[in-house]
Amino acid sequence: MPVARPVPRCFSTRLSILDRYVLRQLLLALVATTGALALLIWLTQSLHFVSLVVGRGLSLRVFVQLTSLLIPSFVAVILPITTFVVVQFIYQRLGSDRELTVMQAAGLSPFMMARPALLCALVSVLACYALNLWVVPTAYHGFRQYEYQIRNKMAAFLIQDGVFTQVSDNMTVYIRARDPSGMLHGIMVEDDRQPDAQATILAEEGSFVITNDQPRIVLFNGSRQEIDRKTGRLNMLSFERNTIDLSAPHGTQTRQPDANELPITALLHPNLRQFSPRDEKKMIIEAWRRLTSPLCAFSFAMIGLLSALGGGFSRHGNIVRPVAATLAVVAVQALTLLVQNLASRNLALMPLMWVSAVLPGMVCMAMLFWPEFRIRRADTGTIPPR
C-alpha cells in the first residue's frame, strides 16, 4: 500500500518569518524604485513649464505646487512596471545568493516561495486602483484648474510700464505709468478679438481686477475707436467707465473638463448635455482603462516570478530568462495599448481589455503552480499520480 506523503501547508494564510523577510525587501524596493522613477519623470515633464518661471515670472513655490499635482498620474503608470522590476530583481538576487536553493532544499514549494511576491503584487494592484479611481482624477483636476487660473491671472502680471505687451494673439496692451497704489495711467488697448470689429481703446486711467479667476482691466475716461469697413469712416465712442476681459476670446472663458479628471461614475454615465456624443466612446474607454490597467501589475509580477522560479537554478545565473521576461512585459504592454485602441473604435471589443490585463498572469500562474497542484491532488488521492 502506498504511503501518502505529508502535504505542505503552502496555502496557509499565516506569514512566516521568511515571508516577512522577502516581503519587506520587495516593498522597500518597490517604494524606492517607484519614487525614483516618478521623480525622474516629474523632472523631465516639468521642463514644459519652465517658461512660466523664466519668461513670465512665476514663483518657484507656485511652479512646484502646480507640477507636483502630476506625480500621482506618473506613479499610476509606472507602478505595474516597477512591480515587475522589483520582483525580478529581488528573486534573481535571492537566487544568486543561493537563498532560493536553501528554501527549496528546506522543502518550500514554488507557491510558498512566491507568496511574498503575490502579496507585493496585491499591494500594487490595490494602490493602482486607489490612484486610478480617486487620487489621479482629483489631482489632475486640481492641476488643470490651477493651470487655468495661473494662465488667466498671468495676463495682468505680464503687463509692464512703457512696453507694448501682447496679452494674447489678438490683444495688445500699453501702459504709460503705474503708481504705487496700482492705478494705471495712459492706457491703450488694441483689441482684435473680433475680426469684423477691430478697435483701439484709449483711457486716461484704469486698474486691474480679478473676477471669478478672470483678469479684467477697468478703464476710466476714455474712448473706443473703430473703423467701419463698409464706409471706411472712423467711429468713436467716449465712455466714463469700461471693462475689458483679458483672459480669453469671447465665448471661450468656460474650461471644458478633460476625461482624465472626471470621476469614474461620470465616465461610465457621461452627461451628453455637457459633452458631444463623439466623446462618449472616449470616456467609456477611459473608465474601462482605469478598471483594467491595475491588473497589469499582477500579470507583470507573475511574469517576473516565472522567470525567477521557473526552471532549474544555475550557479552562474541565467541571462536568457530575465531578458525573455522583459520582452514578454513589453509585448503585454503593447498588446494592452493595441486592445485599447481597437476598443475605442469598436466598444464591443472592450472585454478584451480585461483579457489582455489578466490572461498573461493567469497563464504564468498555471505554468508555475500547476505541477505542485497535481502533486497535492495526487497525495490526497484525488487523482492517480503518473
Side-chain angles (χ1 to χ4, degrees), residues 132-134 136-137 257-272 274-275 279-291 347 350:
N132 283 355
L133 299 182
W134 176 58
V136 171
D258 191 84
N260 295 325
E261 59 183 306
L262 294 176
I264 189 70
T265 54
L267 294 175
L268 293 174
H269 306 285
N271 184 8
L272 298 182
Q274 187 179 6
F275 303 95
D279 293 334
E280 183 178 4
K281 284 186 178 181
K282 179 181 178 180
M283 294 184 178
I284 294 177
I285 292 300
E286 173 64 19
W288 281 59
R289 185 198 65 80
R290 294 185 191 180
L291 294 174
L347 294 181
M350 287 193 302

Side-chain angles (χ1 to χ4, degrees), residues 45 65 97 102 108 167 171 312 380-381:
Q45 293 298 316
Q65 289 178 350
D97 292 344
V102 174
L108 271 68
V167 177
M171 179 179 288
T380 56

Side-chain angles (χ1 to χ4, degrees), residues 196-235:
D196 297 333
Q198 298 178 354
T200 300
I201 305 171
L202 303 175
E204 296 179 3
E205 295 180 339
S207 62
F208 286 118
V209 295
I210 303 294
T211 305
N212 296 327
D213 295 326
Q214 306 292 335
R216 291 177 171 85
I217 181 171
V218 181
L219 306 177
F220 303 98
N221 302 325
S223 64
R224 177 185 178 93
Q225 303 175 14
E226 180 179 332
I227 297 179
D228 191 339
R229 292 192 173 186
K230 295 182 179 180
T231 62
R233 297 178 56 183
L234 176 63
N235 299 327

Side-chain angles (χ1 to χ4, degrees), residues 133-152:
L133 299 182
W134 176 58
V135 179
V136 171
T138 303
Y140 191 72
H141 174 73
F143 167 78
R144 290 290 306 275
Q145 194 69 22
Y146 201 7
E147 182 188 28
Y148 180 72
Q149 294 175 2
I150 289 174
R151 292 190 182 277
N152 281 342

Side-chain angles (χ1 to χ4, degrees), residues 103-118:
M103 296 178 192
Q104 191 179 38
L108 271 68
S109 64
F111 180 81
M112 296 181 70
M113 291 187 290
R115 278 198 308 187
L118 294 176

Side-chain angles (χ1 to χ4, degrees), residues 29-43:
L30 181 64
V31 172
T33 305
T34 304
L37 286 179
L39 181 60
L40 179 62
I41 297 175
W42 173 73
L43 290 175

